[in-house]
Amino acid sequence: MLTMARVISKDTRLCMSLAGRPGNFGTRFHNYLYDELGLDFIYKAFTTDDLPAAIGGIRALGIRGCAVSMPFKEACIPYLDELHPSAAAIGSVNTIVNTDGYLDAYNTDYIAVAQLLSDHAVSTEASFAVKGSGGMAKAVVAALRDAGFRTGIVVARNPDTGPALALAYGFSWLSELGEQRPRLLINVTPVGMAGGPEAEHLAFAAEAVDQADTVFDVVALPAETPLIRYARDKGKQVITGAEVIAVQAMEQFALYTGVRPTDEQLKRAAAFASS
C-alpha cells in the first residue's frame, strides 16, 4: 500500500541530539511520534568536536531542542542560559530547549527516575543501595534524596567519585555491598549491558536480591538484564532501564513540542525505537 511521503518545509522545526557516540533510539522515538501525531518536526542525531560552536548553532539556527549525552552533559553548561531545577540539582544536563534564542536546560533522567519511583510506589522508608558513581548515578542519587529517601549507600569501587557522590547527597559509601541487605537495589553500572564484558553477570549478588523488595536496573539494552530476570523470577518488583529511557524521552518530547503522548503512544514509540 502506498503512503504519503513526509513533506519537510521551511517551517519544519528541527530537534537533535549531541553525543560522543550517537545512537538511534532518540531519532526513531521522536520521529515516530512526530509522524503519528502529525507534528511538523524532524529529529536528527549529531556528534561534534566543537561544543561551543554546536551550542551556538542551536541558538543561532533556531533548533528547538537538543538531547545531550556523554561526554557533553556537564561541559555544555557554561554555554546555556538557565538550569531547570532538575539539572541544577545534579549539575548535569541532558536536554536543551531553545525558546527564541534563550536556552533552558533540564535533566529528564532525573525526572524519569523520580517519576518511576513514584509510579511503582517505592516507599521512601526503604533503605537503598545505588551501585555506580558516574553521571547517571548522580541523577539517581539526587532523585532519591529529593523524593525523601534518607537511608542509603553508594556502592562504588572508585575511591574518589564514590565517596564524593555519597557525601554530596548525605548518604554512606562502601566499595562493596558486603553483608548489607537494602530493600531497594539500583544498578547504575554497565554490568549486564548487551555486548559488554559482563553482559551475563548480576550487578548485585543473588543473596542481596533475594532479600530486596524492589530491583531497579538503569541498563536499557537488553530490556531484561540478568539482574532484572533474576529479580522477576524471585517475585521482586522490578523497574527497568527500558522504562527509564522511554520516560525520559517522552519528557524531552513534551518539552520540545508542548504535546504529551498517551501511554499507548509512548509504548508504541518505545517499542519501535528499540526494534
Side-chain angles (χ1 to χ4, degrees), residues 27-67:
T27 302
R28 291 170 63 84
F29 180 93
H30 288 271
N31 285 317
Y32 178 95
L33 286 173
Y34 298 155
D35 284 342
E36 175 154 322
L37 295 168
L39 300 176
D40 192 12
F41 281 76
I42 192 166
Y43 191 104
K44 177 72 173 68
F46 295 92
T47 189
T48 185
D49 293 323
D50 190 342
L51 182 61
I55 301 297
I58 293 169
R59 191 190 304 274
L61 297 175
I63 294 169
R64 172 57 177 163
C66 178

Side-chain angles (χ1 to χ4, degrees), residues 77-156:
I77 290 175
Y79 311 109
L80 307 176
D81 296 311
E82 185 172 346
L83 297 185
H84 182 268
S86 62
I90 58 177
S92 179
V93 168
N94 81 335
T95 305
I96 300 168
V97 179
N98 180 7
T99 305
D100 299 325
Y102 190 86
L103 304 185
D104 285 299
Y106 299 78
N107 194 300
T108 62
D109 289 332
Y110 169 97
I111 294 169
V113 170
Q115 180 178 321
L116 288 167
L117 290 168
S118 175
D119 289 350
H120 288 268
V122 181
S123 172
T124 58
E125 298 300 316
S127 57
F128 71 81
V130 172
K131 186 171 185 179
S133 58
M136 185 63 181
K138 188 187 292 187
V140 170
V141 173
L144 287 162
R145 182 201 63 183
D146 293 347
F149 288 82
R150 293 291 175 262
T151 306
I153 305 165
V154 173
V155 180

Side-chain angles (χ1 to χ4, degrees), residues 13 43 62 101 130 140 144 159 192 211 219 238 260 264 266 273 275:
R13 306 202 72 180
Y43 191 104
V130 172
V140 170
L144 287 162
Q211 295 188 42
V219 172
V238 299
R260 184 167 292 275
E264 285 305 312
L266 170 63
S275 64

Side-chain angles (χ1 to χ4, degrees), residues 6-38:
R6 185 174 178 189
V7 177
I8 298 173
S9 74
K10 65 181 179 61
D11 297 317
T12 301
R13 306 202 72 180
L14 173 63
C15 292
M16 59 177 280
S17 63
L18 276 177
R21 297 174 62 188
N24 286 321
F25 182 92
T27 302
R28 291 170 63 84
F29 180 93
H30 288 271
N31 285 317
Y32 178 95
L33 286 173
Y34 298 155
D35 284 342
E36 175 154 322
L37 295 168

